Each structure stands twice: as structure tokens, then as C-alpha cells.
Amino acid sequence: MRREDDADRRRRIVDISPESRPAIAQWLSPGAQAWRRALAPLTPAQQRTFVDTLLRYETAVATPAQAAPGH
């Protein structure tokens, strides 16, 4: 389902149709529950550190490797 962004008419917003939401939620639910269980024992600060680390990893994987100085 697509619609215009009321704040910026140049932009289109693509969304999941209401009919598809239950199937997608069922498909994603086991993973979301597993993340909740894995993160539950951590403090909010530890959770933030973990998420920040994953984001830095994702950025590093997406960025072409650069040779170390002198190589």
C-alpha cells in the first residue's frame, strides 16, 4: 500500500497492507520474542551498548574495508 507523505509530497510511503499484517507478525514474532528474552537480563545501559555495538558492526560490514596504514 502506498501513499503520499503529507509533509513532503515528493516522498511516497510504502506500508504493509492490513490483510498481510497478521501473517508478517506471526513470521517475525519468534525472533522478536527471542531478542526480548536475550536482552531482558541486561540493564538499559547494557542494552544500549549492545545495540550500539551491533549498529557499528553493521556499518563496518557495509563499508568497504580500508587497508591499515603502511599496508
Side-chain angles (χ1 to χ4, degrees):
M1 147 179 186
R2 295 175 194 226
R3 64 181 174 83
E4 285 184 350
D5 181 351
D6 293 333
D8 184 347
R9 297 278 180 197
R10 296 170 295 176
R11 206 170 84 149
R12 298 268 182 224
I13 298 173
V14 179
D15 197 2
I16 299 166
S17 71
E19 300 81 30
S20 299
R21 284 187 186 278
I24 292 171
Q26 183 179 3
W27 174 56
L28 294 175
S29 181
Q33 290 173 9
W35 276 116
R36 282 190 200 96
R37 284 193 308 272
L39 295 172
L42 303 178
T43 66
Q46 290 170 325
Q47 291 177 7
R48 183 77 255 163
T49 298
F50 178 77
V51 170
D52 289 345
T53 301
L54 286 178
L55 290 171
R56 283 191 307 277
Y57 172 81
E58 183 180 60
T59 299
V61 168
T63 305
Q66 294 182 354
H71 290 98

